[in-house]
Amino acid sequence: MNDTFLKACRGEEVKYTPIWIMRQAGRYLPDYQKVRSKVDFLTLCKTPELAAEVTIQPIDILGVDAAILFSDILIPLEPMGLKLRFLEKKGPVFSNPVRDRRSVEKLIDIEPEEDVPFVLDTIRILRRELAKKVPLIGFAGAPFTLATYMIEGGSSKTFLNTKRMMYQNPPLFMELMERITDNTVAYLSAQIDAGAQAIQIFDSWAGALSPADYERYSLPFVKDAVKVLKKKGVPIIYFVNNCAGILDIARKAGSDVLGIDWRIDMAKAAKQIGKKRSIQGNLDPLCLFMPRDSIREAAKDILSKASSARGHIFNLGHGIIPETPVDGAKALVDAVHEISSK
Ligand code: CP3
């Protein structure tokens, strides 16, 4: 198996810089569209053979160094009692958002093998099919990011309901965060037991908080989860979107790797993160619309700026967008491999 990705996560020496791409299994790939045209998104997530098939597509098409389980961060919220739908164009919607004490108390603790068996079955299929290829990354949303979806009932620009609960009823907010954290730990532990060889925790909306609020309302829960999950022995990546103002705080979560978005300079981020953790990132996803030569230059710049880091896993600064030309993604993978080869 190609273990370059796992080595870079641990800060071990590698022959070249590994790369994978957030949302690498997705709508920009015609092969994904073909599978997706027959089933809706949630059915795709809940059908292990199909979920495994689309997980593997980018490994063969792009030549990336890790696979990420095809699923969604919102999947474990369904068995917790939230009614989830994905609407075309609008994205995820919960018809029963969690906004008061009664709905927090009504939440159900999940038993992963019983409540999300399809996720664990997908992992087991993938470990067999990827055995000679690349490692498999499992994932979950960070508690704060999941809380925003639960409280807002979907995506949000202002996070009005989330911040209203946070500021008007902090004990209730903290109670909700604890429930989410416990369930996230159970969910990720089950993924590791089923065979996930690394895990990523997505804090997509951490950057919506002030540094003080991030430190109070998001970080402690990620830190608690990391502390428990570390005992499982697989590398933990903590992705913090819009991290520039909070990177020095996010470090304290204790993850093996910090994933960063593109709004911060890689050299600056590498310096802030220090030598105890590896770094993942951070090309602007829209750079994949540039001509091949420019993509190569952009990759070269990031690779050289990350050279002082303990370890570097190349990635985009956030998910690849559906309109992206596949050739742009291929050009990036080839450039990273070629430039970084020693
Ligand atoms: O990275 C991968 O290839 C693995 C699969 C993956 C998906 N979602 C598939 C998906 C992963 C890791 C996620 C994580 C996820 N989901 C996050 C965190 C990462 C981030 O983007 O910040 C969040 C916030 C979600 C919630 C979510 N899922 C939203 C807001 C949406 C709608 C917006 C959109 O992009 O359509 C989704 C849908 C979704 N998740 C799709 C895919 C492939 C598109 C569904 C489709 O095929 O129509």
Side-chain angles (χ1 to χ4, degrees):
M1 186 192 59
N2 168 0
D3 62 352
T4 316
F5 161 77
L6 293 175
K7 282 187 167 154
C9 287
R10 300 194 194 100
E12 293 165 17
E13 199 171 328
V14 286
K15 292 201 178 78
Y16 62 87
T17 302
I19 173 171
W20 67 278
I21 294 177
M22 286 190 273
R23 293 270 178 109
Q24 63 190 16
R27 287 160 294 181
Y28 75 106
L29 285 178
D31 305 67
Y32 172 83
Q33 297 278 17
K34 216 167 137 187
V35 177
R36 178 68 174 76
S37 67
K38 295 183 198 124
V39 288
D40 63 41
F41 174 64
L42 274 179
T43 307
L44 179 49
C45 292
K46 293 176 184 177
T47 313
E49 295 72 24
L50 293 180
E53 181 185 339
V54 299
T55 301
I56 295 174
Q57 286 173 353
I59 316 309
D60 297 334
I61 297 167
L62 304 178
V64 285
D65 299 286
I68 180 156
L69 165 74
F70 188 83
S71 186
D72 198 89
I73 61 165
L74 305 179
I75 289 284
L77 302 185
E78 243 187 342
M80 285 183 76
L82 280 105
K83 298 192 177 73
L84 172 63
R85 280 177 307 153
F86 276 90
L87 305 181
E88 289 305 325
K89 305 239 149 62
K90 200 165 172 268
V93 180
F94 291 114
S95 57
N96 55 342
V98 176
R99 294 190 188 155
D100 52 24
R101 172 157 296 282
R102 223 183 116 245
S103 37
V104 173
E105 283 168 359
K106 261 176 43 190
L107 291 171
I108 304 159
D109 289 322
I110 63 165
E111 302 273 359
E113 287 285 359
E114 267 169 38
D115 295 324
V116 285
F118 48 87
V119 171
L120 308 174
D121 288 340
T122 305
I123 292 174
R124 290 187 273 256
I125 294 175
L126 282 166
R127 279 302 304 277
R128 282 200 299 277
E129 297 191 354
L130 291 169
K132 293 199 177 92
K133 294 185 174 179
V134 294
L136 176 66
I137 306 169
F139 70 89
F144 176 74
T145 290
L146 290 177
T148 68
Y149 285 99
M150 293 170 87
I151 301 169
E152 303 297 333
S155 303
S156 172
K157 283 206 173 82
T158 59
F159 302 100
L160 167 64
N161 296 294
T162 309
K163 291 187 180 178
R164 191 152 48 195
M165 190 198 286
M166 221 167 80
Y167 296 139
Q168 292 185 351
N169 197 345
L172 182 64
F173 183 80
M174 294 309 227
E175 206 176 303
L176 173 61
M177 290 292 287
E178 276 171 27
R179 292 294 296 279
I180 302 172
T181 306
D182 290 348
N183 281 280
T184 302
V185 168
Y187 183 53
L188 286 172
S189 299
Q191 289 188 35
I192 297 168
D193 293 343
Q197 290 154 291
I199 53 173
Q200 173 153 316
I201 299 172
F202 285 91
D203 216 344
S204 304
W205 306 124
L209 293 170
S210 71
D213 285 342
Y214 168 73
E215 188 152 24
R216 186 175 310 151
Y217 294 111
S218 174
L219 178 80
F221 301 93
V222 180
K223 202 169 159 181
D224 284 352
V226 168
K227 201 172 153 195
V228 181
L229 292 164
K230 270 234 157 138
K231 297 182 189 138
K232 295 258 173 196
V234 309
I236 302 172
I237 307 168
Y238 178 35
F239 168 69
V240 187
N241 190 26
N242 246 316
C243 69
I246 52 177
L247 195 55
D248 51 332
I249 309 169
R251 253 178 13 146
K252 300 186 203 162
S255 62
D256 302 274
V257 184
L258 268 165
I260 61 169
D261 64 286
W262 70 91
R263 300 165 191 89
I264 181 167
D265 183 69
M266 176 53 94
K268 222 183 221 171
K271 199 167 162 207
Q272 272 190 48
I273 286 175
K275 294 279 183 196
K276 277 201 197 144
R277 337 204 168 284
S278 300
I279 196 162
Q280 176 176 282
N282 78 337
L283 186 70
D284 180 342
L286 277 291
C287 285
L288 299 182
F289 289 79
M290 300 192 305
R292 214 181 162 90
D293 287 353
S294 311
I295 292 176
R296 195 186 144 82
E297 282 313 304
K300 196 172 172 184
D301 182 52
I302 290 172
L303 283 166
S304 92
K305 285 175 171 163
S307 60
S308 69
R310 181 189 83 163
H312 179 209
I313 299 107
F314 208 105
N315 206 318
L316 300 179
H318 204 173
I320 188 167
I321 71 162
E323 296 81 359
T324 306
V326 179
D327 278 342
K330 274 191 198 153
L332 177 66
V333 174
D334 291 347
V336 168
H337 284 162
E338 195 239 308
I339 297 165
S340 65
S341 286
K342 287 172 193 133

